[in-house]
């Protein structure tokens, strides 16, 4: 078989589709096990770590290539700052709601779930933004 550019492109498309199905499939299994089967994070730690590490590798691989955080939507710097704060805020709120659904009115756990999700996502986004900024500085 010849190594034609079209064949290589088709192979890459198939790999991307397979990875997306695998990545979202693992996430769906985690959601199912956490919310339907009521398993804890420790019960699903092996699957969670595989999903989380794969997500971080993909996330930072995009950053190292200089792809903006809001890709494919193009945002100016002001809107990117709003995005940088708004997305972690929404993650924290969703985490607080899921903790509330699990444990009820335990304010320390609800606030803890919000804080860990918000600051964790914010730190990851700031790292991403810093890597992209350094890439732009070096390559542009």
């Amino acid at each position: 078989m010849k190594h034609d550019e079209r064949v290589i492109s088709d192979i890459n498309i198939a790999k991307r589709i397979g990875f997306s199905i695998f990545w979202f499939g693992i996430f769906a299994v985690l959601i199912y096990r956490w919310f339907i089967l009521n398993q804890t994070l420790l019960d699903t730690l092996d699957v969670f770590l595989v999903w989380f590490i794969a997500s971080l590798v993909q996330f930072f691989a995009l950053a190292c290539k200089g792809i903006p955080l809001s890709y494919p939507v193009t945002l100016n710097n002001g809107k990117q700052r709003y995005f940088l704060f708004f997305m972690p805020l929404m993650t924290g709120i969703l985490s607080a709601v899921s903790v509330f659904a699990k444990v009820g009115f335990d304010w320390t756990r609800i606030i803890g779930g919000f804080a860990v999700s918000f600051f964790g996502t914010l730190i990851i986004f700031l790292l991403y933004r810093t890597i992209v900024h350094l890439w732009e500085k070096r390559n542009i």
Side-chain angles (χ1 to χ4, degrees):
M1 177 183 241
K2 291 170 43 176
H3 288 287
D4 190 359
E5 196 173 306
R6 292 173 297 162
V7 173
I8 293 171
S9 175
D10 290 341
I11 289 170
N12 288 337
I13 289 171
K15 285 181 180 180
R16 280 182 279 192
I17 291 170
F19 177 77
S20 296
I21 292 170
F22 179 73
W23 187 68
F24 282 114
I26 288 179
F27 185 65
V29 166
L30 285 171
I31 296 296
Y32 175 76
R33 289 175 71 180
W34 288 337
F35 293 104
I36 305 299
L37 300 179
N38 289 325
Q39 292 180 340
T40 64
L41 178 62
L42 292 177
D43 294 336
T44 60
L45 190 60
D46 54 345
V47 178
F48 175 75
L49 287 177
V50 168
W51 178 82
F52 187 71
I53 291 170
S55 298
L56 285 180
V57 167
Q58 179 189 20
F59 193 72
F60 287 115
L62 293 173
C64 290
K65 297 292 183 184
I67 297 172
L69 184 62
S70 60
Y71 180 82
V73 178
T74 55
L75 299 175
N76 61 21
N77 283 338
K79 289 182 180 179
Q80 279 187 9
R81 287 189 192 112
Y82 288 127
F83 181 80
L84 187 70
F85 179 75
F86 181 69
M87 289 309 292
L89 181 65
M90 292 307 299
T91 303
I93 290 170
L94 289 173
S95 178
V97 168
S98 68
V99 169
F100 170 74
K102 283 280 199 190
V103 299
F105 280 107
D106 187 359
W107 289 105
T108 56
R109 287 186 179 181
I110 292 172
I111 292 172
F114 173 81
V116 167
S117 296
F118 174 75
F119 288 115
T121 307
L122 185 64
I123 289 169
I124 289 172
F125 277 14
L126 287 173
L127 280 171
Y128 190 99
R129 183 71 181 125
T130 303
I131 292 169
V132 169
H133 176 72
L134 292 174
W135 182 89
E136 288 173 347
K137 195 177 193 182
R138 184 181 60 167
N139 293 316
I140 294 179

